[in-house]
Amino acid sequence: MSNDNNKKVAAKGGLQLVPQTVLKRRHDLDAMKAKRAAMIKINNKVFSKKGKFYVKKPESFLAQAKSRYNHEVRYKRVMKKGMMKRASNKKVLSTKVVEDIVDDDVTTEIKYQSNSVGADMVFVVRIRDSVGISKKVKAVLWKMLLHDVYEGVFLEYTEQNRKLLHLVEPWVLYGPPSKEMVSDLINRRGHGRIKKQRIPLSDNTIIEKALGDKSSIICVEDLVHELHSAGPDFNKAADFLWPFRLTAPKTRFQTQKLGDKEGRIYG
């Protein structure tokens, strides 16, 4: 009878009645939303976009505020006095032992420079997120185009950039890469900045159209050579490249137990 009455009302041009089951469902949803809002206020729970909630403890806010204060003090000290004895102005040589891929008993010692003194350029990787970061440190990271964690950029190692790296040293890792590493980065994860868009470097014509008129760089090999040698067009080449999005490093368990078939080579 109710359906016949609804049809008669709709035919006369009046409002159609809402079934009781729909009204009950709406009432239950409203009650659930009100209950969830009350839980957030009482238990200090925050809901994410996926619908799940997580607890924000007061200790976390205090720890972040303390971290911001400490890093602001460090920023002002480094800005005023520099790194003092914490950064050496001389080349430091170190040695590391490398195991052979085929025979684990065979090891070789490799000498390498453990600091960036005397380098023309460095590759900078951000290793920490924005939790507990001060505004001044964040501004320096954004100036280097390091917006997110595990992003990397090529930077000319001048005295000004060296001071900037000292200001944000707890958040970054940097060092002079080899030519093979530069080539590997560009071929695997290289993207160009064309009209404010991230375009993969799938063809040399993309590089030639973007940098051919401004410089003598027309292919990937020219780009690798210019970056590694820190040539006169280094800034143009570095500005053309979009910040490299790298993967997170493997855990200690993964590096020890997984990937034996690949010779335990990670990165």
Side-chain angles (χ1 to χ4, degrees), residues 81-256:
K81 299 182 179 180
M83 292 292 287
M84 294 181 286
K85 294 183 180 180
R86 297 178 180 86
S88 176
N89 293 324
K90 298 180 180 179
K91 294 183 179 181
V92 179
L93 298 178
S94 302
T95 58
K96 64 178 179 180
V97 179
V98 180
E99 296 182 356
D100 190 71
I101 298 176
V102 180
D103 192 357
D104 294 339
D105 296 333
V106 179
T107 58
T108 56
E109 289 187 357
I110 299 177
K111 291 185 178 181
Y112 66 98
Q113 183 180 343
S114 59
N115 60 358
S116 303
V117 176
D120 296 327
M121 54 81 70
V122 290
F123 185 70
V124 188
V125 182
R126 182 173 174 177
I127 57 174
R128 291 177 62 179
D129 54 15
S130 299
V131 177
I133 190 174
S134 64
K135 293 182 179 179
K136 294 181 180 179
V137 174
K138 190 175 182 179
V140 176
L141 290 173
W142 277 60
K143 186 178 180 180
M144 296 179 182
L145 302 179
L146 298 174
H147 298 169
D148 297 321
V149 65
Y150 300 128
E151 282 190 344
V153 294
F154 291 103
L155 200 65
E156 192 174 6
Y157 198 60
T158 59
E159 192 64 30
Q160 181 181 1
N161 289 335
R162 186 188 181 191
K163 189 173 183 179
L164 291 178
L165 289 171
H166 288 167
L167 291 173
V168 297
E169 201 162 84
W171 276 269
V172 296
L173 286 177
Y174 61 93
S178 62
K179 191 172 183 178
E180 291 77 10
M181 186 180 295
V182 176
S183 177
D184 197 24
L185 279 170
I186 294 176
N187 288 322
R188 288 191 178 189
R189 299 183 179 273
H191 288 75
R193 189 192 308 275
I194 300 175
K195 295 181 180 180
K196 298 182 180 181
Q197 293 183 353
R198 185 171 180 261
I199 306 299
L201 302 179
S202 57
D203 193 359
N204 287 331
T205 55
I206 299 174
I207 301 174
E208 186 177 0
K209 289 180 181 179
L211 298 174
D213 298 335
K214 303 176 184 178
S215 61
S216 59
I217 302 173
I218 59 174
C219 60
V220 175
E221 288 76 12
D222 294 341
L223 189 63
V224 171
H225 174 73
E226 191 69 25
L227 290 172
H228 182 258
S229 61
D233 298 325
F234 176 86
N235 291 329
K236 296 177 182 178
D239 293 340
F240 166 71
L241 290 174
W242 196 279
F244 293 88
R245 296 177 181 176
L246 308 177
T247 56
K250 302 291 184 180
T251 62
R252 186 177 180 182
F253 169 77
Q254 290 173 323
T255 54
Q256 289 180 351

Side-chain angles (χ1 to χ4, degrees), residues 28-87:
D28 294 341
L29 289 174
D30 293 339
M32 187 182 300
K33 289 180 181 178
K35 185 177 180 181
R36 181 175 293 179
M39 287 174 58
I40 294 174
K41 293 181 180 179
I42 295 173
N43 299 329
N44 194 24
K45 294 180 179 179
V46 181
F47 282 84
S48 62
K49 295 181 180 179
K50 296 182 180 179
K52 299 179 181 180
F53 59 85
Y54 57 95
V55 179
K56 293 288 287 186
K57 296 183 180 180
E59 292 81 358
S60 62
F61 293 104
L62 294 175
Q64 292 176 15
K66 186 177 180 181
S67 176
R68 282 193 296 270
Y69 174 76
N70 292 336
H71 286 296
E72 285 179 0
V73 172
R74 180 193 177 277
Y75 182 92
K76 292 179 181 178
R77 185 187 72 243
V78 175
M79 178 66 75
K80 185 177 180 180
K81 299 182 179 180
M83 292 292 287
M84 294 181 286
K85 294 183 180 180
R86 297 178 180 86

